Amino acid sequence: MSEVVDLLQRLIQLDTVNPPGNETRAAELLREYLEDNGVHCELYGKVPERANLVARIPGRNSGPRLLLMSHTDTVLADPVDWSVDPWSGDLKDGHVWGRGALDMKGQVAASAVAMASLAREGFQPAGDLIFVAAADEEVGEGEKFGMPWLVEAHPEAVEAEYSVNEGAGDRIEIAGTPYYFCSTAEKMSAPFAITIRGRSGHGSMPGIADNALVKAAPLIERLGAFHAEPEVGPEVEALLRTILGDVPPIEQVVEVAQQFHPGVAEMVEPLLSTTVSPTMIRASDKRNVIPGACEITVDCRLLPGQTPSDVEGLIRTTLGDGDYDLKWGEPYGGTRSPLKTPLWDAVSSWVESSEPGAKAVPICVAGFTDSHWVRQKFGTVAYGFFPIRAMDPELAARLIHSADERAAVADIELGLDFLRHAAVTVGNTTT
Ligand SMILES: [Zn+2]
């Protein structure tokens, strides 16, 4: 059995469901494996049971550092929904099964084996090659134990010019050409809430009350029709240029993409502008009490670089007149990295040599990853890329955070091949 499959199975067998996480189990397993292979490791934990592992192959000189990022926690799994034990790490039908196989213990294992195998070969990069297996990525709210804590408490351990993390790697064939998506930017999550006030009263006497839930209805409809002026950012421009050969006029982008491939249109549309989705509502707690207040929670995603104050005016115009309060929640993410970098060259040269005729394309993703923390703190060029070729990307997307999560052995080995290539390419770069 291959080294990376064996390590992945052992990682899955450690329950690191967050909460509570208990990621120290995974950090210790990785430390033992890496130290056996001559790689120096350090564990950093805000609390003992939630350690972050940082491993390092020191650079020859002050060349650019590359950080292989990952997280060891997973979301929960209900065994009732699974056809195997979610913590079995079973190997069957060419796949490793279990919670975290795709998100993201497969990449954890591949990163660790890339480090170990390069160390055994006596690899000496120009700048440090660093691997972080962080705790606490899956839970966004509350006290932080993973990357946001690590970049503040131990910046010297994880600062790097370049990093590779999760986030993309899907392979999609369009008009006969395979494309591999590499995420270079993330939209900002900027939720807000709208509170509508009325006057409560007994449900049997609506005439003397002022029903806040009823007053909320037209505001929800207007939010549903929210439309922001689209714009083509650098990621979308590069993506369209690579796939379509040029950039259509902004108002035709979705239509042209649709004719070319429906998947491309679906991918591009939310990347052209702010999106607004009302998702939750709260009014009366009792059937017979007319609510005096109603709160609508709205999921709102901004383009990288935008801030809530940039779009608030448009949101208020959309809502129109009405008696309401608008309050922003804590915004999250919304950072991008440049596209013309040695790390991009490493991604695209790997794609082209790994599958002749294939091309790498950048993408801005709607989700949030730990890449944000290193972009924001150090200005790191951070990309999300772990290639998936054997598994259908739609199936992979469906399995993440879901039952019967599994990763194809061929894909884990492919990812390992890419990470080694990235380490060697960046490690041979001189500044
Ligand atoms: Zn993840």
Side-chain angles (χ1 to χ4, degrees):
M1 179 188 311
S2 88
E3 190 175 346
V4 68
V5 169
D6 175 62
L7 186 60
L8 172 55
Q9 290 182 295
R10 287 194 287 151
L11 283 165
I12 289 173
Q13 286 157 8
L14 301 173
D15 177 345
T16 50
V17 170
N18 183 13
N22 287 319
E23 298 91 339
T24 300
R25 296 168 176 169
E28 280 173 349
L29 169 67
L30 291 165
R31 173 164 65 183
E32 192 189 307
Y33 165 75
L34 287 162
E35 286 183 346
D36 282 350
N37 285 280
V39 181
H40 179 76
C41 297
E42 207 73 65
L43 261 50
Y44 301 94
K46 189 175 183 182
V47 292
E49 62 278 14
R50 309 208 62 181
N52 300 276
L53 169 126
V54 181
R56 182 179 301 267
I57 298 178
R60 298 188 305 273
N61 51 48
S62 57
R65 291 162 290 187
L66 174 65
L67 176 67
L68 305 181
M69 293 177 74
S70 66
H71 65 83
T72 54
D73 62 324
T74 70
V75 295
L76 55 77
D78 186 347
V80 171
D81 304 328
W82 288 60
S83 59
V84 298
D85 170 0
W87 295 278
S88 64
D90 278 355
L91 177 61
K92 60 170 193 172
D93 313 327
H95 292 73
V96 180
W97 293 62
R99 174 54 85 226
L102 291 166
D103 183 16
M104 64 173 294
K105 287 178 172 175
Q107 191 169 351
V108 172
S111 302
V113 174
M115 296 290 286
S117 59
L118 288 166
R120 289 196 299 260
E121 292 159 20
F123 176 60
Q124 288 187 310
D128 292 1
L129 176 63
I130 313 160
F131 164 50
V132 59
D136 196 24
E137 194 273 343
E138 295 289 0
V139 175
E141 271 120 55
E143 197 181 354
K144 310 280 199 292
F145 300 92
M147 280 311 285
W149 172 78
L150 200 54
V151 299
E152 295 302 331
H154 300 280
E156 70 295 340
V158 289
E159 180 170 3
E161 285 68 34
Y162 302 104
S163 86
V164 174
N165 190 16
E166 64 179 341
D170 302 3
R171 173 191 183 279
I172 298 179
E173 233 171 89
I174 301 167
T177 303
Y179 295 94
Y180 286 79
F181 289 84
C182 173
S183 105
T184 61
E186 293 168 6
K187 286 187 89 173
M188 175 187 272
S189 165
F192 62 89
I194 291 169
T195 306
I196 298 102
R197 297 201 190 280
R199 192 172 57 255
S200 64
H202 197 277
S204 65
M205 305 173 79
I208 57 169
D210 183 19
N211 192 328
L213 182 59
V214 172
K215 287 167 84 178
L219 298 182
I220 297 170
E221 284 195 355
R222 286 176 213 150
L223 285 171
F226 176 86
H227 173 78
E229 226 28 69
E231 58 181 272
V232 172
E235 300 82 22
V236 174
E237 183 180 339
L239 180 143
L240 294 171
R241 215 173 273 291
T242 308
I243 297 178
L244 306 180
D246 70 44
V247 182
I250 180 82
E251 63 282 0
Q252 289 169 24
V253 164
V254 174
E255 198 187 324
V256 174
Q258 181 74 36
Q259 286 163 7
F260 205 74
H261 190 281
V264 179
E266 272 172 35
M267 199 155 36
V268 162
E269 192 176 15
L271 305 181
L272 298 175
S273 61
T274 302
T275 60
V276 153
S277 301
T279 50
M280 292 157 78
I281 189 159
R282 211 176 45 159
S284 178
D285 293 328
K286 281 206 165 67
R287 194 214 68 228
N288 61 0
V289 175
I290 291 173
C294 174
E295 187 183 82
I296 308 163
T297 302
V298 184
D299 182 282
C300 173
R301 310 277 165 150
L302 312 184
L303 295 175
Q306 282 183 333
T307 63
S309 55
D310 293 335
V311 297
E312 187 174 323
L314 181 60
I315 290 167
R316 285 188 183 275
T317 306
T318 303
L319 287 167
D321 290 336
D323 192 10
Y324 66 85
D325 287 333
L326 188 159
K327 200 164 170 257
W328 290 95
E330 201 188 331
Y332 238 77
T335 46
R336 62 160 45 107
S337 289
L339 300 178
K340 290 195 171 83
T341 69
L343 186 59
W344 182 264
D345 296 341
V347 172
S348 67
S349 63
W350 179 83
V351 166
E352 284 160 25
S353 68
S354 172
E355 184 172 0
K359 289 178 186 163
V361 275
I363 182 103
C364 170
V365 293
F368 177 89
T369 72
D370 275 343
S371 293
H372 170 72
W373 304 112
V374 294
R375 284 197 193 113
Q376 190 183 50
K377 176 77 182 176
F378 309 120
T380 305
V381 172
Y383 295 160
F385 191 71
F386 194 69
I388 291 188
R389 183 189 296 166
M391 185 178 272
D392 173 8
E394 279 173 33
L395 175 63
R398 225 175 24 247
L399 291 175
I400 288 174
H401 293 198
S402 184
D404 284 342
E405 182 178 354
R406 58 195 181 270
V409 168
D411 285 337
I412 300 297
E413 283 168 349
L414 189 71
L416 168 60
D417 185 62
F418 161 69
L419 292 169
R420 283 175 48 91
H421 173 87
V424 170
T425 308
V426 174
N428 286 331
T429 309
T430 43
T431 44

